[in-house]
Amino acid sequence: MRIACLQLNSIIGKLQQNISNANQIVETCLLKLDKPFDFLILPELALTGYNFPSRAAIEPYLEVKAIGPTSKWAVEMSQKHKCFTLVGYPEWDETCQKIFNSAILTGPDGSILYNYRKTFLYESDENWGCSESENPIQFEPFELVLNKGFYLDNEPKLKSIICNIGICMDLNPYKFEAPFGKFEFSLSCYQNMSKLILCPMAWLSPKSPSIQEDKSIVLPDQIQEVEIKYDTGFKQKAEETKVNQGSLPDMSTVNYWILRFLPFLNHPGVDLPRYYSKVSLVCCNRSGQEGDVLYGGSTSIYQFKNVSDPPSLETGIKNNSVEYYGSLGTAEQGIIVRDLDLE
Ligand code: GLN
């Protein structure tokens, strides 16, 4: 399965601009590939922007599932490239009159396969009036049929896997109040026997002024003059077009995401039977800044493997059960493409 993550610097409220930017990056990327990607993933609220200050501010950008602009874009993208598309958007549910932070998944024929609503909210979500998912099953898994012929040629279901979607804060302890070791999201994925975990994000940079004690901190130069990165070097280290800080990932974030999946690691503190030979995790973050919020990029792709080596105390990319497929930089836009064996 060829997976492509599009790390976008979404401009808040500039839907058309974000759409053409995304389209352009995707089209250019396709020209560089010998074979198109099968799965395209975008960040949280990728086409509208994320940090809306109020409900009134986000109101014009709310979208009804399946008919709003993000859903339409995903359907078109899927149909055009015969791929799965997963993208975040601010959902308006007419029936319950509530706003949700959602991600829509479309299949290779453009059919809508799944709509996930964020379960754990971040303060920005609350600022714009978002509601928690009302799904009685927290972090509900779903079955994803992988053979494209199932969607395109009436082929039977030949291969399917259990999949979970998590949106950004879902990876953290609930409201930052639950015990760190509760691992709500990753343990649910484990219990669901998920093999593919997809996370659209608007994850903050640790340097974001919004989360510093000292509010007078000046924003670092974001989106420096780096070219858009097309990292199609399978399992090779990304070639840096220009070496500057922004083209490197923030390794504390890359490792923190792994730490939040401790139940999947070969670690002395974990004693869970393995139902898998590998589980894939895709974290697709955005870059750029919105007001005093600075995003951390570092979009990353990993697999957790069932290894027989002795447990390792490492909780990041150095853990011997982690296969790390690479990341994009903190302050760049771009796309990272990798071939993953989904077993
Ligand atoms: N805690 C996450 C962060 O620091 C949550 C952000 C979000 O949910 N968008 O980035």
Side-chain angles (χ1 to χ4, degrees), residues 33-50:
L33 297 175
D34 56 336
K35 152 175 111 59
F37 48 74
D38 306 300
F39 211 128
L40 177 65
I41 302 166
L42 280 85
E44 179 177 13
L45 267 63
L47 303 179
T48 57
Y50 174 59

Side-chain angles (χ1 to χ4, degrees), residues 44 50 118 120 122 125 167-169 172 176 202-204:
E44 179 177 13
Y50 174 59
K118 190 175 186 177
F120 291 177
Y122 187 58
D125 300 305
I167 302 180
C168 209
M169 187 67 190
N172 271 320
F176 293 123
W203 193 280
L204 276 59

